[in-house]
Amino acid sequence: RRCGLAAGRSYSGGGAYPSVSLTCPLPGVPKAVFAAAESRERFETRVTVLENGLRVASQNKFGQFCTVGILVNSGSRHEAKYLSGISHFLEKLAFSSTAQFGSKDEILLTLEKHGGICDCQASRDTIMYAVSADARGLDTVVNLLADVTLQPRLSDEEIEMTRMAIRFELEDLNMRPDPEPLLTEMIHAAAFRDNTVGLNRFCPVENTDKIDRDVLHSYLSSYYTPDRMVLAGVGIEHEHLVECARKYLLGVEPVWGTGRSRGVDRSVAQYTGGIVKVEKDMSDVSLGPTPIPELTHIMIGLESCSFLEDDFIPFAVLNMMMGGGGSFSAGGPGKGMFTRLYLNVLNRHHWMYNATSYHHSYEDTGLLCIHASADPKQVREMVEIITREFILMAGAVGEVELERAKTQLKSMLMMNLESRPVIFEDVGRQVLATNTRKLPHELCALISQVKPTDIKRVVTKMLHKKPAVAALGDLTDLPTYEHIQAALSSKDGRLPRLYRLFR
């Protein structure tokens, strides 16, 4: 009897695939691995520290594919002693030619054999090289990651191509209809002026020609050391990952050599507050038959706390309670229409196009901010409304809205952790910062314990700081920084005082 797809190609109704056997396996199909009902999936995150200080962390998860990567405690916040923009360069140069692989195409072809994809992301405090592939190719994947991280060629041609890519990205950044990435840079620069997380994440145009192989090697020798790295994996056996780490990452001489370190910048973030303004014509940011109207964007922020502090969870709940979004994204409970920025701002002031809360948290500080946008003629009123929302945070917190925010935060946490790459990043970042990992059920328990008094306490502490303000667009009617600061310092939150300040 014939088996396989070629046995039946009939697509007529009722008699499709008449001669395909239901008992004979299709040729060439790998044997299926099923989750046995009696097997208990291990949820704990296991961590092993190698002799050279490299940490190996893994999370077991059933499935054919795994996500493995190397996270380095290195980012734009560490560039004080160097040219700004090195991390941006390294992000673009990732997965290019190495000692073993002659080109990016060769790397991609190697990954393709295992159904793999790769990515590199640089942030203010971390750079992450990650690969998702078939778990049976783990040996190849770890070998590739070790080579990409420690043995990049950084050829002149690759560096020149990176310069061109960065220039294009910077131009695109200034032309985007959505200015959120630009505003995020501006609010950090205002909040932490000229230090640590306030340093620019993107390479300035004037530095693109100054960064070369020698500059990159000098930086890499200081920050790409085993004690500042974590090899994290999800969907693989811990012993196998440790074995691969010993094989490819233990005793490896990096291409830049040793002994050239200029020292690691261990500066602690210093919150300064302040304002960063960029006058810009936003009338033509969107071309086409239905262009986006001209808007002015304001972001106001206050210092929160580090993700290592106990107050991090109450701040996360507060951020979820504020919520918000764009004026066209409302539509139901799933869209967050019960959050304060929807109920108090977007649903009451139809002329506001956006009101969204963000919480950025780092190892030594944090920033809670609200982004709002409206027509340039209504900037003064918009700033007044957002300032009022900050003050009202210190007021009464309803039991229903608090429970809703906690439930929504737990739901978002658990849904995000359904994704293998998200679990990988969570494992890597937590182990990089704390050498261990809080499991989802532990975080949910901490969220459940948040009380209205906790919210009021963290907000009161936050409101004692100077505000950070980022403003982009037509700023003719923008209130002065002193007015915004005076409004936020209103301890009783009485609105008449706010009106007098802004009018």
Side-chain angles (χ1 to χ4, degrees):
R1 183 156 53 174
R2 296 168 65 196
C3 296
L5 294 176
R9 289 294 185 189
S10 173
Y11 293 91
S12 57
Y17 307 107
S19 58
V20 175
S21 170
L22 299 180
T23 57
C24 182
L26 293 174
V29 177
K31 186 179 178 181
V33 180
F34 297 99
E38 64 273 9
S39 67
R40 185 177 66 86
E41 186 177 359
R42 291 170 293 169
F43 289 99
E44 71 274 9
T45 300
R46 298 179 62 186
V47 181
T48 298
V49 183
L50 301 187
E51 292 81 353
N52 62 354
L54 177 80
R55 286 155 287 179
V56 182
S58 73
Q59 174 75 49
N60 197 12
K61 185 176 176 66
F62 179 80
Q64 181 182 349
F65 284 82
C66 66
T67 298
V68 183
I70 293 177
L71 292 91
V72 188
N73 186 8
S74 158
S76 57
R77 69 169 296 163
H78 300 109
E79 294 173 1
K81 299 179 182 178
Y82 297 87
L83 285 170
S84 176
I86 291 177
S87 298
H88 195 184
F89 257 79
L90 292 173
E91 179 185 46
K92 298 298 178 190
L93 283 164
F95 295 99
S96 297
S97 63
T98 68
Q100 291 184 44
F101 301 93
S103 66
K104 178 171 283 191
D105 289 341
E106 198 173 322
I107 288 175
L108 296 178
L109 284 171
T110 302
L111 288 174
E112 193 175 321
K113 294 175 185 176
H114 301 282
I117 56 173
C118 60
D119 187 28
C120 177
Q121 292 182 6
S123 62
R124 287 184 156 75
D125 52 3
T126 311
I127 188 163
M128 179 174 63
Y129 302 83
V131 171
S132 288
D134 193 304
R136 290 171 294 185
L138 180 64
D139 196 88
T140 303
V141 167
V142 177
N143 179 28
L144 169 63
L145 284 166
D147 216 42
V148 163
T149 309
L150 300 175
Q151 304 285 334
R153 286 186 182 174
L154 305 179
S155 68
D156 293 337
E157 183 183 358
E158 287 169 346
I159 291 174
E160 187 56 41
M161 289 293 290
T162 300
R163 289 192 182 110
M164 293 171 62
I166 287 176
R167 289 190 193 109
F168 175 81
E169 186 176 348
L170 293 174
E171 287 181 21
D172 177 64
L173 196 65
N174 287 311
M175 294 169 61
R176 286 184 192 175
D178 175 22
E180 197 270 326
L182 203 57
L183 280 166
T184 301
E185 291 303 306
M186 292 167 62
I187 195 74
H188 278 82
F192 306 93
R193 192 171 293 276
D194 298 328
N195 77 90
T196 58
V197 293
L199 301 177
N200 201 330
R201 193 168 66 86
F202 299 104
C203 180
V205 178
E206 61 271 15
N207 284 357
T208 53
D209 289 325
K210 298 176 185 176
I211 296 176
D212 55 21
R213 189 189 297 108
D214 290 338
V215 172
L216 294 172
H217 278 182
S218 175
Y219 179 87
L220 290 166
S221 66
S222 295
Y223 291 96
Y224 277 46
T225 54
D227 59 302
R228 299 179 65 84
M229 293 182 180
V230 169
L231 173 66
V234 177
I236 36 82
E237 291 293 333
H238 185 72
E239 291 76 13
H240 192 186
L241 186 62
V242 172
E243 180 188 332
C244 292
R246 290 186 182 280
K247 185 176 178 181
Y248 297 112
L249 287 161
L250 196 60
V252 177
E253 176 79 15
V255 70
W256 48 84
T258 55
R260 299 177 55 189
S261 174
R262 291 176 58 181
V264 173
D265 182 8
R266 303 189 188 278
S267 303
V268 176
Q270 302 295 318
Y271 181 83
T272 60
I275 186 167
V276 173
K277 299 189 291 185
V278 176
E279 288 272 1
K280 185 179 178 184
D281 181 9
M282 305 287 283
S283 60
D284 58 351
V285 292
S286 178
L287 303 176
T290 54
I292 294 174
E294 181 181 359
L295 299 174
T296 294
H297 299 268
I298 305 294
M299 196 176 273
I300 300 176
L302 292 164
E303 187 180 24
S304 58
C305 73
S306 141
F307 57 70
L308 300 176
E309 296 179 45
D310 293 337
D311 283 343
F312 172 70
I313 299 295
F315 268 115
V317 174
L318 172 64
N319 180 56
M320 190 59 67
M321 193 169 71
M322 299 306 296
S327 58
F328 297 105
S329 65
K335 295 289 186 69
M337 68 176 288
F338 290 108
T339 62
R340 285 193 178 185
L341 291 180
Y342 267 119
L343 290 175
N344 302 344
V345 179
L346 292 171
N347 288 354
R348 295 185 182 182
H349 307 284
H350 63 89
W351 44 269
M352 285 189 68
Y353 280 77
N354 182 56
T356 312
S357 176
Y358 296 95
H359 187 215
H360 306 277
S361 197
Y362 305 96
E363 199 170 339
D364 50 0
T365 189
L367 189 65
L368 182 79
C369 46
I370 296 176
H371 169 207
S373 54
D375 186 275
K377 295 177 182 176
Q378 293 171 301
V379 168
R380 185 172 292 272
E381 192 175 354
M382 174 174 67
V383 173
E384 171 197 314
I385 289 166
I386 298 305
T387 317
R388 180 179 61 196
E389 287 305 310
F390 269 108
I391 294 173
L392 291 176
M393 288 181 193
V397 178
E399 196 64 40
V400 173
E401 71 168 341
L402 181 61
E403 287 304 314
R404 183 183 287 120
K406 292 195 290 185
T407 303
Q408 196 172 352
L409 180 59
K410 287 186 280 188
S411 172
M412 187 184 72
L413 173 69
M414 299 307 293
M415 283 192 292
N416 284 342
L417 289 174
E418 288 292 313
S419 166
R420 190 174 283 106
V422 174
I423 301 173
F424 154 75
E425 186 173 349
D426 183 50
V427 170
R429 285 184 180 276
Q430 286 203 49
V431 172
L432 194 64
T434 66
N435 296 320
T436 185
R437 181 189 180 222
K438 275 194 174 74
L439 297 175
H441 70 270
E442 295 177 89
L443 293 171
C444 287
L446 291 172
I447 292 168
S448 297
Q449 293 169 13
V450 175
K451 299 179 176 61
T453 52
D454 297 321
I455 300 294
K456 189 163 186 175
R457 185 188 74 254
V458 297
V459 171
T460 302
K461 184 170 69 172
M462 181 175 66
L463 286 173
H464 279 92
K465 304 288 180 69
K466 290 172 60 178
V469 181
L472 177 69
D474 182 351
L475 308 179
T476 308
D477 293 332
L478 179 71
T480 66
Y481 177 76
E482 289 72 21
H483 281 168
I484 298 172
Q485 184 179 359
L488 280 170
S489 66
S490 174
K491 301 298 187 297
D492 53 9
R494 286 182 297 180
L495 297 189
R497 180 182 174 186
L498 283 176
Y499 280 99
R500 287 198 301 273
L501 282 169
F502 286 112
R503 295 188 187 281

